[in-house]
């Protein structure tokens, strides 16, 4: 983390909670840079997270009000906090298991309701903290602690899911493209409506080692290959598997 | 002092209300500014009332996607500074249990109205029951305390809702109005006061929000947006909210304080009413709607020359076992009529010493009649 971002961190926090090679630190830095560039008033900003690795991005690191909730319920807690005090800028940041599996119902209903909330999904396509089990975002055929012969199911495309539920601003970024990511985060935070950013973030510890990507470098290379940027065109290359398009998805 | 006398914001004087509407008016009167809920029989009238009345009074109403979301949003709203509540019935209460533990562990003031119906499971959704006595206290995992008040009239659906808010805010605990379908749907006259005693949360800036020096202390309650940089977490935490999930001493002292802050104040919290207890040989211990039938039976028994009295429990949790022990000293027997298979009966037995306790249970979806209680009393003679 750059020294210039330290003002947003609690002085009591000395170490990163993330594994070597985890992408969540890049997301954390990108989020703080977006906040810095927007000049957001941290006194009136509330960060809400659920349970899992990504929930540790704001809590206890950010020098702001943080609400570290139950598994899956971050969006529901955030809804009450925002409704009771509309002056607050409420930013939910949590993982794909938290937001899209156990908390999937809250996510789609918040998108439908269109209350002003920013929801950031740190999507590593696996349950990291509990030991690498299959997530609703794990690509089909990939190996996890609960799918040792390969995930038999199709993953959620969170962008399509949340957009289908009515969210006015939906974007997908990746920690391998931090400058684009900062741009999406800024637009999402500045939005007066419900905004969702799916952020692809590698998990070498739990995901990589089971899928022959046993170095952080190999994970980042795979993520680069997985992502289709806006500049590369709207469609995945012919025959490409597991391709996810980056960019903003708005009418 | 955070306890103040305020003008009742709802229409005072003599009114004719249903129990559920009276509970909703009690919430408005107590200063409730957030309601998050999900429809469920037989509590839905509370939600419908709040959807109409809360927003015009400067509050917020959210119809959530399920009961898990309801209680979660209520906890979030409470930390945003609003007195907050939800209402539900058995199946919804079951869904709320994990977050009930979160509220207890993070010392979040929240009010839950449970209009009990005949369980278990979906049971008889429109019929009365009182089977949630243990569920409100023991339903979430781990050790914690709640407050639960049991109204026997529409009047108390109002007044005990106000008291539930006062206790929730003062003690920083989840407080239940443990009502029953029969009282929620009962219509009768109430007299609403011109003024009310209201407890607003105690906030001292820059004080630790999760700890104090006393083993039974209640910390200052700040809120979001006050510049406190709050760390609220359901993990074991120190007095500033930092996770302390490795240290045995932190967990031990925190769990003990959360219980002690309620149990050491039982004398202030627990309320009851006694009828004909001075010379009573047999004492009916009753609560909620059943206490109405019990009082009628006791009066009839007195007319027939039986030395019978009624001990009506208003506070169910924390359970006032000292009260039972005290009354047991002068009694030859207790009768505990309940619309469950003996949930308070066990509590009475554990405090009654050598005094015999007879349980009268009924789980058929209807209220216990005075005649049933009278018959049970005659059997005990």
């Amino acid at each position: 983390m750059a020294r210039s971002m330290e003002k947003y961190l609690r002085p009591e926090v000395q170490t990163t909670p993330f594994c070597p090679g985890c992408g969540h630190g890049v997301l954390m830095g990108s989020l703080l840079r977006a906040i810095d560039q927007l000049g957001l008033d941290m006194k009136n900003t509330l960060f809400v997270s659920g349970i899992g690795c990504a929930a540790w991005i704001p809590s206890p690191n950010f020098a702001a009000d943080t609400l570290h909730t139950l598994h899956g319920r971050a969006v529901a807690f955030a809804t009450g906090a925002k409704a009771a005090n509309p002056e607050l800028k409420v930013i939910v940041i949590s993982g794909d298991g938290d937001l899209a599996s156990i908390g999937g119902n809250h996510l789609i209903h918040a998108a439908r309701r269109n209350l002003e909330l920013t929801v950031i999904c740190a999507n590593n396509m696996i349950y990291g903290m509990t030991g690498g089990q299959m997530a609703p975002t794990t690509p089909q055929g990939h190996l996890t602690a609960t799918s040792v012969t390969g995930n038999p199911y199709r993953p959620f495309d969170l962008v399509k899911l949340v957009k289908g539920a009515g969210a006015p601003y939906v974007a997908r970024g990746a920690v391998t493209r931090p400058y684009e990511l900062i741009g999406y985060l800024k637009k999402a935070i500045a939005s007066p409506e419900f905004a969702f950013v799916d952020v692809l973030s590698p998990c070498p510890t739990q995901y990589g080692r089971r899928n022959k990507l046993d170095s952080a470098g190999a994970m980042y290379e795979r993520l680069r290959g997985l992502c289709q940027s806006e500049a590369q065109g709207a469609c995945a290359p012919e025959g490409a598997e597991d391709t996810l398009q980056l960019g903003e998805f708005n009418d | 002092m955070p306890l103040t006398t305020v003008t009742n914001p709802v229409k005072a004087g003599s009114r004719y209300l249903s129990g559920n509407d009276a509970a909703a008016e009690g919430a408005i009167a107590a200063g409730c500014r957030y309601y998050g809920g999900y429809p469920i029989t037989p509590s839905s009238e509370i939600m419908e009332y709040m959807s109409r009345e809360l927003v015009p009074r400067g509050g917020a109403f959210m119809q959530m996607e399920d009961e898990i979301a309801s209680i979660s949003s209520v906890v979030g709203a409470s930390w945003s500074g609003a007195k907050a509540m939800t209402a539900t019935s058995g199946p919804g209460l079951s869904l709320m249990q994990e977050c009930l533990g979160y509220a207890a562990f993070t010392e979040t003031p929240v009010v839950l109205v449970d209009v009990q119906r005949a369980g278990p499971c979906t049971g008889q959704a429109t019929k009365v029951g009182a089977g949630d006595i243990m569920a409100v206290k023991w339903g979430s995992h781990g050790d914690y305390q709640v407050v639960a008040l049991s109204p026997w009239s529409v009047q108390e659906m109002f007044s005990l809702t106000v008291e539930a808010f006062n206790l929730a805010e003062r003690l920083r605990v989840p407080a239940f109005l443990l009502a029953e379908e029969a009282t929620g749907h009962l219509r009768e006259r109430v007299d609403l006061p011109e003024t009310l005693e209201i407890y607003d949360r105690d906030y001292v800036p820059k004080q630790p929000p999760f700890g104090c020096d006393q083993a039974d202390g209640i910390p200052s309650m700040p809120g979001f947006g006050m510049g406190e940089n709050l760390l609220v977490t359901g993990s074991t935490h120190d007095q500033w909210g930092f996770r302390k999930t490795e240290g045995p001493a932190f967990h031990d002292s925190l769990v003990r304080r959360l219980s002690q802050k309620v149990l050491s104040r039982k004398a202030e919290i627990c309320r009851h009413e006694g009828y004909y207890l001075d010379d009573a040989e047999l004492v009916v211990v009753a609560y909620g709607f059943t206490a109405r039938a019990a009082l009628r039976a006791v009066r009839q028994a007195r007319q027939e020359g039986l030395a019978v009295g009624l001990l009506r429990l208003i506070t169910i949790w924390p359970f006032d076992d000292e009260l039972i022990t005290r009354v047991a000293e002068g009694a030859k027997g207790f009768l505990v009529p309940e619309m469950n298979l003996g949930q308070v009966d066990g509590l009475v037995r554990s405090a009654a010493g050598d005094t015999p306790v007879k349980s009268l249970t009924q789980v058929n979806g209807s209220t216990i009649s005075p005649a049933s209680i009278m018959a049970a009393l005659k059997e005990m003679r």
Side-chain angles (χ1 to χ4, degrees):
Chain A
M1 185 77 56
R3 286 277 170 193
S4 61
M5 294 297 117
E6 275 189 359
K7 62 187 172 188
Y8 296 110
L9 301 179
R10 290 180 195 270
E12 296 91 339
V13 175
Q14 299 291 332
T15 55
T16 175
F18 305 120
C19 299
C22 174
H24 290 4
V26 179
L27 170 54
M28 183 175 166
S30 301
L31 178 57
L32 290 180
R33 282 171 177 81
I35 286 167
D36 192 58
Q37 289 170 25
L38 288 169
L40 203 64
D41 173 15
M42 290 289 262
K43 183 170 176 280
N44 273 315
T45 303
L46 168 66
F47 295 92
V48 188
S49 59
I51 294 293
C53 303
W56 292 48
I57 291 175
S59 162
N61 299 308
F62 289 0
D65 289 330
T66 57
L67 178 61
H68 200 142
T69 72
L70 296 166
H71 193 23
R73 316 299 168 211
V75 173
F77 277 75
T79 298
K82 176 68 181 178
N85 182 359
E87 301 300 309
L88 288 176
K89 173 55 78 175
V90 180
I91 300 172
V92 176
I93 177 157
S94 219
D96 45 308
D98 190 80
L99 288 168
S101 185
I102 186 169
N105 202 31
H106 309 311
L107 179 64
I108 58 173
H109 282 275
R112 169 182 67 82
R113 242 178 242 124
N114 199 19
L115 198 68
E116 182 192 325
L117 294 174
T118 302
V119 179
I120 302 162
C121 181
N123 185 351
N124 56 13
M125 304 178 183
I126 197 131
Y127 284 88
M129 192 169 275
T130 49
Q133 296 84 8
M134 181 170 58
T137 43
T138 302
Q140 200 161 13
H142 285 221
L143 306 180
T144 72
T146 50
S147 62
V148 292
T149 57
N151 172 19
Y153 313 114
R154 293 167 298 167
F156 266 139
D157 181 330
L158 296 183
V159 159
K160 287 181 181 163
L161 178 73
V162 178
K163 191 170 168 56
Y169 181 86
V170 181
R172 180 183 286 124
V175 298
T176 47
R177 293 173 167 272
Y179 289 101
E180 287 171 15
L181 176 59
I182 291 167
Y184 304 148
L185 293 173
K186 279 168 70 178
K187 280 198 193 170
I189 293 166
S191 167
E193 298 183 288
F194 184 90
F196 177 77
V197 185
D198 184 27
V199 183
L200 304 177
S201 175
C203 175
T205 301
Q206 299 292 7
Y207 191 96
R209 70 187 164 103
R210 288 189 173 84
N211 290 281
K212 298 191 173 104
L213 298 158
D214 43 10
S215 73
M219 276 301 285
Y220 278 80
E221 280 308 317
R222 176 183 171 275
L223 186 54
R224 283 194 189 95
L226 192 67
C227 298
Q228 284 283 293
S229 76
E230 285 173 293
Q232 289 168 296
C235 300
E238 201 75 25
E241 289 177 17
D242 306 337
T243 304
L244 286 167
Q245 179 158 10
L246 305 186
E248 295 170 301
F249 303 84
N250 304 294
D251 300 325
Chain B
M1 280 294 288
L3 187 68
T4 52
T5 304
V6 302
T7 305
N8 189 351
V10 299
K11 191 180 158 198
S14 183
R15 311 261 307 271
Y16 187 67
L17 293 174
S18 77
N20 281 346
D21 282 353
E25 294 224 339
I28 300 264
C32 177
R33 285 295 172 269
Y34 179 82
Y35 185 99
Y38 187 80
I40 185 167
T41 304
S43 75
S44 298
E45 296 86 2
I46 297 173
M47 181 183 189
E48 291 166 7
Y49 185 102
M50 296 303 264
S51 76
R52 294 190 303 269
E53 297 295 329
L54 207 45
V55 175
R57 295 169 190 272
F61 168 88
M62 296 297 295
Q63 179 163 333
M64 300 303 290
E65 52 274 17
D66 56 35
E67 286 91 344
I68 299 173
S70 300
I71 181 73
S72 298
S73 77
V74 165
V75 171
S78 186
W79 279 101
S80 269
K83 290 185 181 179
M85 81 178 289
T86 188
T88 190
S89 190
L93 174 70
S94 293
L95 287 177
M96 291 181 183
Q97 292 288 1
E98 188 193 16
C99 198
L100 179 64
Y102 186 94
F105 201 52
T106 55
E107 301 180 69
T108 309
V110 293
V111 171
L112 301 95
V113 181
D114 177 15
V115 187
Q116 296 171 88
R117 66 193 222 189
C121 197
T122 309
Q124 293 184 310
T126 62
K127 305 291 187 188
V128 71
D132 302 351
I133 305 289
M134 289 295 167
V136 300
K137 172 65 190 73
W138 301 104
S140 201
H141 55 282
D143 289 286
Y144 62 98
Q145 294 290 327
V146 298
V147 168
L149 310 174
S150 172
W152 77 334
S153 63
V154 174
Q155 184 74 44
E156 281 192 345
M157 289 292 284
F158 178 89
S159 63
L160 293 186
T161 300
V162 174
E163 185 154 333
F165 271 97
N166 285 351
L167 288 169
E169 296 289 330
R170 182 166 129 235
L171 302 170
R172 284 186 61 180
V173 292
F176 280 91
L177 184 76
L178 196 46
E180 295 142 348
E181 183 278 336
T183 332
H185 287 161
L186 181 69
R187 285 182 181 273
E188 63 184 358
R189 201 187 89 160
V190 294
D191 292 301
L192 301 190
E194 297 287 342
T195 60
L196 295 159
E197 297 268 275
I198 296 296
Y199 196 96
D200 288 318
R201 59 187 56 171
D202 210 353
Y203 168 54
V204 184
K206 305 300 174 192
Q207 288 297 302
F210 301 105
C212 348
D213 297 333
Q214 308 101 301
D216 62 352
I218 303 164
S220 156
M221 175 73 195
F224 298 140
M226 294 178 175
E228 294 275 355
N229 284 359
L230 289 174
L231 262 173
V232 184
T233 175
S235 293
T236 300
H237 44 272
D238 68 12
Q239 60 181 357
W240 293 101
F242 280 96
R243 266 190 300 274
K244 298 287 177 187
T245 54
E246 301 296 327
F250 274 109
H251 196 70
D252 189 89
S253 65
L254 178 56
V255 173
R256 287 182 195 282
R257 181 175 64 76
L258 295 186
S259 273
Q260 278 311 307
K261 72 173 182 177
V262 175
L263 297 179
S264 73
R265 290 173 175 81
K266 270 162 97 168
E268 304 164 45
I269 301 166
C270 293
R271 293 212 287 123
H272 70 276
E273 275 183 356
Y275 295 86
Y276 314 105
L277 285 181
D278 288 347
D279 62 341
E281 294 178 355
L282 294 180
V283 175
V284 182
V285 181
Y287 54 92
F289 195 89
T290 304
R292 298 168 76 106
L295 182 57
R296 188 179 167 107
V298 163
R299 284 188 169 140
Q300 192 187 333
R302 281 277 165 180
Q303 281 174 0
E304 295 180 18
L306 301 177
V308 176
L310 168 66
L311 177 62
R312 179 169 82 91
L313 303 177
I314 298 171
T315 310
I316 303 292
W317 300 111
F319 191 73
D320 196 349
D321 39 9
E322 293 93 341
L323 170 70
I324 301 294
T325 304
R326 232 170 26 245
V327 174
E329 283 166 9
K332 291 185 178 161
F334 284 118
L335 174 68
V336 188
E338 299 183 80
M339 291 184 281
N340 55 51
L341 294 183
Q343 298 194 14
V344 167
D345 171 67
L347 298 167
V348 173
R349 273 171 209 274
S350 69
D354 295 333
T355 306
V357 181
K358 182 180 168 68
S359 176
L360 171 63
T361 63
Q362 180 176 307
V363 287
N364 62 0
S366 62
T367 55
I368 299 176
S369 70
S372 301
I373 296 170
M374 190 66 194
L377 282 170
K378 285 184 173 171
E379 275 177 33
M380 289 177 75
R381 229 173 1 136

